[in-house]
Amino acid sequence: MPEKTYLQALNEALRQEMERDEKVFIMGEDVGQFGGCFGVTQGLFEKFGEERVRDTPITESVIVGCAAGAAASGLRPVAELMFVDFIGVAMDQLFNQAAKMRFMFGGKATVPMTLRMPQGAGIGAAAQHSQSLEAWFMHIPGLKVVIPSTPYDAKGLLISAIRDDSPTVFLEHKMLYGVSGEVPDEAYAIELGKADVKREGSDVTIVATSLMVHTALAAAEKLKADGIEAEVVDPRCLNPLDKYTIIESIKKTNALVIAHEAVQYAGPGAEIAAMAAEEALDYLDAPIKRVGAPFCPVPFSPPLEKAYIPDADDIVAAVKSIR
Amino acid sequence: MTPDKKTLVHMYETMNKIRMFEKKLQDFFAAGEIPGFVHLYLGEEAVATGACSALTDKDKITSTHRGHGHLLAKGGDLKLMMAEIFGRKTGYCLGKGGSMHIADLDLGILGANGIVGGGGPLATGAAFASKYSKADTVTVCFFGDGASNQGTTQESLNLASAWKLPLVFVNENNGYGISCPQCKSMAVTDIADRAAAYDMPGVVVDGNDVLAVFEAVSEAVKRARNGEGPSLIECKTYRWRGHFEGDACTYRCQEELDEWMGKDPIPRFEAKLVESGAVSKKEAAAIQDRIAKEIEEAVTFAKQSPFPDPSELLDNVYA
Ligand SMILES: Cc1ncc(C[n+]2csc(CCOP(=O)(O)OP(=O)(O)O)c2C)c(N)n1
Ligand SMILES: [Mg+2]
């Protein structure tokens, strides 16, 4: 299978979906000739033209709302915000409009829009360009929340997100864009709401998302040296959440650690922990542990940023506290 | 309104300070010594300098992601700025903010801003506070052509006008928001035309002419202090560098850049100063030497300063 980067995989998904369905179009800031701030839309303007790859003004609330309105009017928009942090400007259009339209209108509206947004720290971009906000989106009924960790998943999940008839928030991690992996050339869809076991193990389940999947895999290698076999489960979607795969893993390992880059307090791990406590407590023989960012904005200075981002040692320590 | 000699000299110093500061950053960024992003103000020095020269120390500004020029023009400390941009503990924000978040509340600087359009509402608040507490201060909101399209900016223009706030909106129209040229992001040619929608004066000035900017902003400041409400001043200018350092700038052509570099605001101003006798060539050179030295000192200060300690991470989340 050919090797591609996460970024190339996303680009390929966009291209193939645009070839397949002319209702699919792209809009966002600098997504045209410039190719997107991180390069995800590179080459698409040249291939599909400015009608279908649309540069917008700096106007996030209209980017999101225009996507919702166009989606409700029969198109299949893929909108990009340059950084997830800018959703603050546009939140009303996402959570009061796009997410609720179908329900409020008694099932009459369909809003098949995809909103792509890069998340995460690691490039010294500081407090307003580095956050991980998946918990915000998980909390809104009506939105689907997709958060791929590998190039393979990125392509298959983006294709599914585009084909899905509900508004879907698609969260990329900027530190993953350059990561390579095997990606088929042809289009393929990965069902939304299906977790993937990234590593099998018998002693502890580590549920990790996005970049933290890779950190968890590194932690698992360290743990292996100490005789602990960790199973790493990547939910890939936070809504719908694949409870079944997580619980099956817990049944096997009897211990749960959850790792994400979002702020730990009221983060996505809180929901996963609560779900495990409600539905799998009998299988747990130790307290559930969470690893997430500390309760502060993302700092600028490199040593602070490094301390902010959870690392493999943090995950190892969490596992060792129960195993 | 012709500025006195002291003001003229100060303007000249400020423009050179911004120019040299940014050139230093350009070099250090290229050498990989600065983390994160830097958005340089090279070529736009006359806007911040002209506007801030029309303000008192008590007046306030809100800045942008391209903020170094505004901060220096409002009196920002070279050492503290440099240290912050280098991520050091001795910097303005203790290393927590970086280039896009430098602030000095004592100098009336309500912060650079990582969010395009983030400054307008804050400036509205600062201007409201001034009116509410009868403080006689004016706020200047710097914002780009790109930022002018954000709802937050338009809403701020409206509220400031409805409440007759002492606020001056200084638009820096450098023709682009990243790669997007003005003609693709709005149908108007002059952003100042939008002032009419809010029933406030809208003025277009040559943003590479520091005296023109000074004059227009001074007039607007006077209006604001008199309780006549906000104004919108559009300064036409150009950024010499890419949007951020590292931007290959494929969206614009060399001729355009050359044309604007030919309108370099510093030699234009210097020629006027020398011609009018306000500053001699020798004095101008001495000013440049002194500033170059101050900047070297700031670099030394920054580089010799420690990084913050991870134990400081959770400080200042709450008051
Ligand atoms: C809300 C928001 N949207 C997008 C960005 C990304 N961004 C940073 S600067 C910029 C362009 C700003 O253009 P303009 O206002 O003209 O200022 P200039 O960079 O030209 O000084 C963009 C799109 C951002 N920081 N915040
Ligand atoms: Mg601009």
Side-chain angles (χ1 to χ4, degrees), chain A residues 122-192:
Chain A
I123 59 168
Q128 296 173 342
H129 287 75
S130 304
Q131 298 168 86
S132 292
L133 298 177
E134 57 270 27
W136 287 26
F137 309 118
M138 285 170 72
H139 193 67
I140 305 302
L143 295 180
K144 293 192 177 175
V145 184
V146 185
I147 185 162
S149 67
T150 64
Y152 179 86
D153 291 350
K155 179 171 172 181
L157 289 168
L158 183 53
I159 287 176
S160 288
I162 294 171
R163 293 180 189 173
D164 196 274
D165 280 340
S166 294
T168 300
V169 170
F170 193 90
L171 300 168
E172 300 159 13
H173 197 296
K174 33 181 119 69
M175 300 305 286
L176 288 175
Y177 283 133
V179 167
S180 295
E182 292 190 336
V183 178
D185 286 334
E186 67 277 6
Y188 58 95
I190 296 173
E191 189 184 335
L192 301 185

Side-chain angles (χ1 to χ4, degrees), chain B residues 121 168 203 211:
Chain B
V168 181
V203 186
L211 293 175

Side-chain angles (χ1 to χ4, degrees), chain A residues 15-33:
Chain A
R15 182 167 51 77
Q16 290 175 342
E17 284 308 288
M18 289 181 79
E19 280 167 348
R20 191 185 61 84
D21 180 356
E22 69 175 43
K23 291 200 159 69
V24 178
F25 73 98
I26 291 174
M27 63 190 290
E29 293 159 21
D30 303 282
V31 297
Q33 213 147 21

Side-chain angles (χ1 to χ4, degrees), chain B residues 28 33 82-83 86 88 297-306:
Chain B
F28 283 127
E33 294 194 53
M82 196 67 89
F86 273 82
R88 306 304 162 112
E297 283 164 21
V299 169
T300 307
F301 173 79
K303 288 192 165 187
Q304 287 177 352
S305 293

Side-chain angles (χ1 to χ4, degrees), chain B residues 236-256:
Chain B
K236 307 260 194 202
T237 184
Y238 198 80
R239 64 168 151 77
W240 288 1
R241 302 288 301 165
H243 171 68
F244 40 59
E245 285 309 283
D247 170 8
C249 256
T250 48
Y251 46 85
R252 58 184 206 186
C253 64
Q254 189 62 38
E255 294 76 59
E256 188 180 278

